[in-house]
Amino acid sequence: MFVYADNAATTSVSKTALDAMIPYLTESYGNPSSLYAFGQRAAEALAEARETVAHYINADAREIYFTSGGSEADNQAIVSAARLGARKGKKHLISTKFEHHAVLHTLARLEKEGYEVTLLDVHEDGVVRLEDLEAAIRPDTALVTIMFANNEIGTVQPVAEIGKLCRAKGIPFHCDAVQAAGHMPIDVKAMNIDMLAMSGHKFHAPKGVGVLYARRGMVLSNIIEGGAQERGKRAGTENVAGIVALAAALKESCDNMEANTAKIIPMRDKLFAELSKIPHSKINGSLEHHVPGTVNMCFEGIEGESLLLMLDDAGICASSGSACTSGSLDPSHVLLSIGLPHEVAHGSLRLSIGEYNTMEEIDYIIETVPKVVSYLRAMSPVWDELEKGERPHLI
Amino acid sequence: MALYSDKVMDHFRNPRNVGKIDDADGVGEVGNAKCGDIMRMYIKVDDEGIITDCKFNTFGCGSAIATSSMATELIKGKSVDEALDLSNKAVVEALDGLPTHKIHCSVLAEEAVRAAVKDYYDRKGIAYNPEDFKETDDEELHKLGEE
């Protein structure tokens, strides 16, 4: 059986999105900047896509900028707010310890340029506390950037409360909503979000297209210079087909959100319930504040990469936060941020399911994972020591 | 291109000599759970100093398991002295290569063998130069292959 359970990494392109984009690759391939009607046909599709995207997050079409993906949108949002702040002498940026690297690495670069960065704790449950944010805010805070939902452990942040606090303090709030868009309701007005990043391929659009929402009044700095596309804020001929597909996929995902969620949650909960029966396992992140499809667990005494390779042999696509899968010395910064010891974090498994998965596939995962865990534990000197009591169990 | 060579995947999927030797003549353990890999190597040595059996237990990634497996194959039937000559390079070559960020696994495999031999020497009261049995520091280990 082949089971794709890595939807937080990327998703398949839906038939709706594919059908929507094909005409803009074939018959209507004109450049939207061209004057003639053939080009204008593409420009119209672009305008329509912008309206659609705006509608589904309760924004105005003029507040939507298409980018190459979530990373570019995050980069542009953060750099823009930082530059804007610097002009007013504000050079303090607030974020959390478990943001995506598109955010953390951008902040690290700004730190080298003389900005000060405060990374908030996300506690054991993977949820940022409002009082921590309030305490971190300073008169020179130029930006608060906090993700909507974490990409590894799926915990959802109190976005509306964060937005409210930031608005009251007059601080721009950027939200990396890459894992939430198309899966959870987003209302930039109600949530007081000033900037927001989305990535099409996380909700069944193709890779290479994303969205930056920037509230009117937010002055954007360009990351890519060139032509006057995207109201002069993002140069480069528009990825018309990709943008059309993104809008179609977002519409489809949002229109079916309730039904999708109702389908995904029982599958996710079954995974949690059954895989938790594996001794010395642990669910990572609060289940109370959680995206529908993400399951992140640790199994003591084994290492994530070998777990993934074994699952791959069984036809299951999953991911892990072990050091060996990242190619670095340390396991995932997300797992460390919620207080997991290195030894435990190395044995993590992320399964992220979507509406295309079936209960039959979930049952197959539930049948396979315990076998693989037992096999690897039988080979593991760490597990041997844990079982003999020579090493204390940490979970 | 796949991350690992067919040989690595073969030794990962069908690791040779997995397990323990209860009456081993030497047991060596290297690595650190914090860094994500530990190898434990067991050797059985006859009166002639020949390694008649060798088994391993490994906690780690695919290449940690594959290099452990290959190392046991390369030293089985060899003399203890020959086992000490086993280099990480030989393990890498026998596996048709490893990705650069996985080279440290082969070093661990080499050091696991040496640690087992050292334990054998200790048990037998055979003198050796401790300098020959130094283990690579964890930090250093993970920097291997980065240059």
Side-chain angles (χ1 to χ4, degrees), chain B residues 74-139:
Chain B
L74 290 172
I75 64 165
K76 222 171 157 176
K78 301 276 170 62
S79 71
V80 167
D81 287 343
E82 283 172 311
L84 283 180
D85 284 337
L86 177 76
S87 69
N88 79 297
K89 274 202 180 107
V91 176
V92 174
E93 277 165 24
L95 287 168
D96 292 339
L98 278 178
T100 39
H101 67 285
K102 298 290 188 180
I103 294 295
H104 71 271
C105 293
S106 66
V107 177
L108 271 185
E110 175 195 317
E111 291 183 352
V113 170
R114 302 177 76 79
V117 171
K118 180 173 176 286
D119 184 51
Y120 163 74
Y121 282 167
D122 285 339
R123 292 185 195 199
K124 287 275 171 186
I126 299 169
Y128 57 84
N129 180 0
E131 282 295 306
D132 293 341
F133 292 92
K134 267 192 160 164
E135 284 175 29
T136 312
D137 173 76
D138 292 326
E139 289 284 337

Side-chain angles (χ1 to χ4, degrees), chain A residues 23-267:
Chain A
Y24 296 95
L25 296 166
T26 52
E27 65 251 34
S28 300
Y29 57 82
N31 189 322
S33 300
S34 300
L35 182 73
Y36 41 77
F38 184 61
Q40 286 307 301
R41 223 190 291 168
E44 277 160 32
L46 206 57
E48 203 183 310
R50 207 181 301 280
E51 289 284 349
T52 304
V53 171
H55 169 75
Y56 283 100
I57 61 168
N58 195 20
D60 191 280
R62 280 172 295 175
E63 299 171 316
I64 302 299
Y65 301 84
F66 292 112
T67 66
S68 64
S71 292
E72 188 192 326
D74 280 330
N75 272 253
Q76 189 166 10
I78 293 165
V79 168
S80 298
R83 302 276 178 262
L84 205 62
R87 272 187 250 152
K88 299 174 192 161
K90 296 180 175 185
K91 296 188 79 173
H92 177 233
L93 312 165
I94 300 176
S95 190
T96 75
K97 286 181 180 167
F98 76 163
E99 295 295 309
H100 191 273
H101 285 132
V103 169
L104 288 179
H105 290 175
T106 305
L107 292 172
R109 195 181 69 203
L110 290 166
E111 209 167 18
K112 279 189 195 148
E113 291 175 17
Y115 288 83
E116 265 187 83
V117 176
T118 301
L119 297 180
L120 301 175
D121 207 356
V122 291
H123 304 265
E124 265 179 52
D125 58 359
V127 180
V128 75
R129 301 289 188 273
L130 221 55
E131 54 268 30
D132 292 350
L133 171 60
E134 200 156 8
I137 290 173
R138 310 192 318 208
D140 64 339
T141 303
L143 171 73
V144 169
T145 170
I146 295 177
M147 67 201 325
F148 202 113
N150 184 269
N151 50 310
E152 289 187 34
I153 58 174
T155 53
V156 175
Q157 306 308 304
V159 174
E161 288 84 348
I162 294 166
K164 197 175 161 195
L165 177 63
C166 291
R167 189 62 56 86
K169 302 264 184 189
I171 302 164
F173 170 40
H174 167 61
C175 183
D176 170 6
V178 166
Q179 291 294 330
H183 306 289
M184 302 191 81
I186 298 173
D187 184 327
V188 293
K189 285 202 180 77
M191 293 171 167
N192 290 306
I193 298 170
D194 296 302
M195 293 180 287
L196 178 134
M198 285 192 229
S199 174
H201 74 103
K202 308 291 191 188
F203 52 84
H204 304 292
K207 293 155 192 69
V209 61
V211 172
L212 170 60
Y213 152 79
R215 192 168 66 90
R216 230 170 309 162
M218 279 304 310
V219 183
L220 292 180
S221 301
N222 289 28
I223 301 282
I224 297 173
E225 300 288 358
Q229 291 89 352
E230 300 299 301
R231 290 177 300 290
K233 296 302 175 192
R234 203 281 182 182
T237 300
E238 300 86 341
N239 173 8
V240 181
I243 290 166
V244 167
L246 181 144
L250 185 66
K251 179 181 187 319
E252 188 181 34
S253 297
C254 292
D255 288 349
N256 297 303
M257 196 180 284
E258 234 171 282
N260 290 343
T261 305
K263 187 183 175 203
I264 295 166
I265 285 186
M267 294 196 277

Side-chain angles (χ1 to χ4, degrees), chain A residues 305-306 313 346 379 384, chain B residues 13 20 34 40 58 62 102:
Chain A
E305 192 209 81
S306 42
D313 274 352
H346 284 301
M379 197 194 290
D384 184 48
Chain B
R13 290 191 181 113
K20 293 179 205 170
K34 205 170 165 258
R40 195 192 286 164
T58 288
K102 298 290 188 180

